Amino acid sequence: MSTINETRPAEALRDGDPDVEQERADTKPLGGIAGWLDDRTGGAKPASHFLKKVFPDHWSFMLGEIAMYSMIICLLTGVFLTFWYVPSMTQVVYNGSYVPLQGVTVSDAYSSTLNISFDIRGGLLIRQIHHWGALIFVVSVFVHMTRVFFTGAFRKPREINWVLGTLLSMLACIEGFAGYSLPDDLLSGTGIRAMNGFVQSIPIVGSYVSYFIFGGAFPGEAIIPRLYSVHVLLLPAVLVGVFTAHILFVVIHKHTQFPGPGRTNNNVVGFPLMPVYMAKAGGFFFIVFGIIALVSAVVSINPIWGYGPYDPSPITAGSQPDWYMGFADGALRLLPGFLEFDTFGFTWSMNIFPGSILLLPIMWTVIGVYPFVESWVTGDKREHHLLDRPRNAPTRAGIGVAGITAYTVLLFASGNDLMAIKLHLSINDLTQLFRLLFFIGPPIAFWLTKRICLSLQRADRQKVLHGRETGTIWRYPDGRFEEIHAPLSPFERWALVQHESPEPLRISAEADENGVASPLARKERVRAKLSHFYFNDRVAPPTPSELEAAHHHGDEVDEGHLLTGEHEAIDPATTGDSSSTPRETIKADRKRST
Amino acid sequence: MKALAARRRHPAAIAVLILLGLLVTGGAYSFLAPKQAQATTVTADSVAQGKKLFIGNCASCHGLNAQGTGEGPSLVGVGAASVDFQVGTGRMPLAGPAVQAPQNPGKVKFDEAQIAALSAYVASLAPGPAVPDGEYTTPIAPGDEVAAGQTLTNSQRIARGGEIFRVNCAMCHNFAGAGGALTRGKYAPALTGTTPTHVYEAMITGPQSMPVFNDTNITPAGKQEVISYLDAIDNQTNVGGMTLGNLGPVSEGLFAWVFLLGLMIASAVWLGKKAA
């Protein structure tokens, strides 16, 4: 199998790289500005190394790029917005061009956001680009994350990068929440109000923390300036820092690739950054920017003039956070009220605390530790640079879909009121349904996904052994009908048979010959159980001997199947010269990995 | 005063005081209470016609004398405004039992004269809120003029209508009057497309789950400001582009996931297929 078994330092990842030093010696020295710069910075070597970096081609590898570009777009538009936004809760009388608010006493923050929307040229467009960009930023972060998860791209040596990505996704959500709160309109004020409630629900210290954050009682005058500093200074700096590390790790580890002909754990098949990806990725930036700008130009987002200024007494129907915080809002909507109780003179708001304060760290911790859990359970400490096709890791796919199901139930619960009016349902029934789904949905999703993956694997197996169904039915002189199966090309077959199908771990001796239980036994038992959970249901890829057998048992009609057609179909592949290569590779690989 | 002080522990003192208190409050209330029960001048003819229509279309649920049955509430004292609202918006006659009578502007069963006759009949049973005249149901046109008896300019009055709306109405009807959910399948309907008269009538009669906003709670001028605000946001250009139903972040999030992400992935797939 194409995995790397020996433990080796990350430095070894660059073993096969072309020697830039040597190449430079072979080429003539740099002249002109490049030479001048290189003499002073020594930048030519790393720049050349970077520009020759090879990246594999697949559309799903661009999901992270969408996130990167929308983050850059948010940074650019955000700078524009800071030119006019006033982070202050000082009360002023609004006298701008929006008639239905003239003469109303509002905060400086709200008034300046109205001015950006109505009185600054292009301000509203930039605001909408910033907001739509933020939404798609978090969307693409999450979708990128699912791609990495289902393809197993988080495995060694990329666990740290997975943790960094997890951190980035959490920071993105918090950054979004801070930005959502800045305009000081009715909706964002309600969000801050809710946050105040969440903080107060922390047992014992809640009210102190709330006073600390708000600089006194809610709403005070401090929260907007504080959130502003967090939104434009602290979090962007941390985001960009962690993001840089994230990208740096991609360069260090090299990009993973899907299995295919010629792709191994030791190479990257693709194109170099310069000029191919410079053009592709550069072009994609403008595509992303263009799409966001187009949507921002025609679709309204967060019409703060409609919400009106924040005032603690009113509230609007349909008050929700932006989607990425919706899951926490949904958890709150689902938590029953009877969970609150009093003891020792303290109120324990267990109707609020788990859904608001606890949920976030729990969710992101579970996501962050997954690679370590999986590698412990599977005992797989090898490097993986070839991605799994999701179906070839059925249990992992099932766990992922179960997690996504739980998340989606919470997210949808956050919109229960709108679902009630738009679908003419009762909000109470919907809430009960979501409560039920939160518990039974993930197991069902796990089971379904795992079964689908196993079925797909079986289908792959059939395809390898018997060829592809063509839909062409032949009638023979003796009257029987047969469907013609077309043989797979060796390249197609390779993609279907190259993966591993590990067997569950077995417990090594639980007790020694004297009957003394091994101190490791319990841990090993747990591990064996989990390994059983992961790998007990498995569909192994066809072995070369099975493939061989499939070609010959066409003559035996005893199975009740009419296999002669398949036999004929497979024939050219087995006799052809090209077919021997992948099969031998399988054999060779098997030997290496065992 | 000494004589009064001497008698303050008299056994009857408490009773006398309570009586006095009740008289004062009751008297003050009857003097200050909103005079909503204006008697409208109606001809005996229209009352008679209204009664006929009532018996033919409404009595099966509301009773032959509008006294109410198990199926429908008593209509004694609900006033002409209530009938005009319920019948004029197509809510009544109710098509079928449901948690709430849906508005049905396309299918109003009666013409204006018939609705007026029905209203006159129900109003004749007992005094109740009358159908408002045009004075307070005409939206204020935005501008810097100050109307007679007002301290604010017309534009500022519209803005005040917005404040009244956000404090009293937005929690159910949504900030843009797009509607919202209530418990057990009930809902606050969207206000877009509702006529000013019907909005006014809803405020003074409190149909279904809606509370009554009487003239002490929100003055007629205040109600007019609310109506003007709704009219202003209904007629304003959507400066940001398509509103996605003004439903807030849920529809925005859905749009981002479906359309924005869809476009992004489509272009990523397209670009991935492009030869290097």
Side-chain angles (χ1 to χ4, degrees), chain A residues 539-553:
Chain A
V539 178
T543 58
S545 51
E546 281 175 321
L547 199 57
E548 203 75 45
H551 300 156
H552 293 297
H553 87 169

Side-chain angles (χ1 to χ4, degrees), chain A residues 98 298 300 302 315-317 428, chain B residues 170-171 175 184 236 240 242 252:
Chain A
Y98 185 65
V298 294
S300 175
N302 198 18
I315 189 159
T316 162
N428 307 56
Chain B
M171 74 277 281
F175 68 95
R184 307 216 169 277
Q236 78 190 2
M242 288 183 275
E252 291 160 6

Side-chain angles (χ1 to χ4, degrees), chain A residues 62 66 98 100 102 128 132 271 280 298-302 306-307 314-317 320-321 323 417-418 421 426-428, chain B residues 159 166 170-172 174-175 180-182 184-185 187 236 239-242 248-250 252 255 257 264 268 271 274 276:
Chain A
M62 284 187 246
I66 301 176
Y98 185 65
Q102 277 172 6
Q128 300 205 140
W132 280 121
F271 299 100
K280 273 199 166 189
V298 294
V299 187
S300 175
I301 186 165
N302 198 18
Y307 290 116
I315 189 159
T316 162
Q320 266 97 1
W323 79 264
D417 54 336
L418 291 168
I421 41 173
S426 155
I427 192 170
N428 307 56
Chain B
R166 283 190 290 275
M171 74 277 281
C172 298
N174 154 304
F175 68 95
L182 302 176
R184 307 216 169 277
Y187 58 92
Q236 78 190 2
V239 284
M242 288 183 275
V250 170
E252 291 160 6
F255 188 88
W257 270 95
M264 297 284 179
L271 199 63
K274 284 268 147 192

Side-chain angles (χ1 to χ4, degrees), chain B residues 25-252:
Chain B
T25 5
Y29 178 77
S30 66
F31 182 69
L32 296 169
K35 307 275 185 294
Q36 284 185 338
Q38 304 99 325
T40 39
T41 49
V42 284
T43 61
D45 266 3
S46 62
V47 172
Q49 193 208 346
K51 179 157 191 178
K52 245 184 237 163
L53 284 169
F54 185 88
I55 288 170
N57 296 286
C58 320
S60 56
C61 298
H62 290 291
L64 282 172
N65 295 313
Q67 79 280 23
T69 69
E71 318 298 323
S74 162
L75 299 185
V76 178
V78 300
S82 193
V83 179
D84 190 59
F85 175 82
Q86 299 282 0
V87 181
T89 56
R91 286 180 166 83
M92 291 288 154
L94 194 58
V99 281
Q100 180 169 332
Q103 60 180 335
N104 211 342
K107 288 184 182 160
V108 179
K109 297 281 189 309
F110 303 99
D111 61 26
E112 274 182 38
Q114 288 169 319
I115 295 172
L118 266 175
S119 310
Y121 167 66
V122 172
S124 74
L125 300 171
V131 176
D133 54 20
E135 189 189 351
Y136 293 120
T137 55
T138 325
I140 305 162
D144 290 333
E145 312 82 65
V146 180
Q150 293 293 333
T151 49
L152 297 175
T153 67
N154 285 349
S155 292
Q156 286 171 333
R157 285 189 67 201
I158 294 175
R160 189 168 64 185
E163 283 186 278
I164 298 172
F165 182 82
R166 283 190 290 275
V167 172
N168 295 286
C169 320
M171 74 277 281
C172 298
H173 286 288
N174 154 304
F175 68 95
L182 302 176
T183 52
R184 307 216 169 277
K186 289 181 290 229
Y187 58 92
L191 301 178
T192 40
T194 311
T195 64
T197 312
H198 288 147
V199 173
Y200 194 100
E201 286 166 350
M203 285 192 272
I204 56 175
T205 63
Q208 310 196 33
S209 306
M210 183 164 159
V212 172
F213 295 92
N214 64 32
D215 287 352
T216 330
N217 191 324
I218 299 176
T219 61
K223 291 191 173 86
Q224 186 187 16
E225 286 159 6
V226 170
I227 288 167
S228 311
Y229 176 73
L230 286 173
D231 185 68
I233 59 170
D234 227 10
N235 293 326
Q236 78 190 2
T237 329
N238 293 319
V239 284
M242 288 183 275
T243 58
L244 302 179
N246 271 327
L247 295 175
V250 170
S251 53
E252 291 160 6

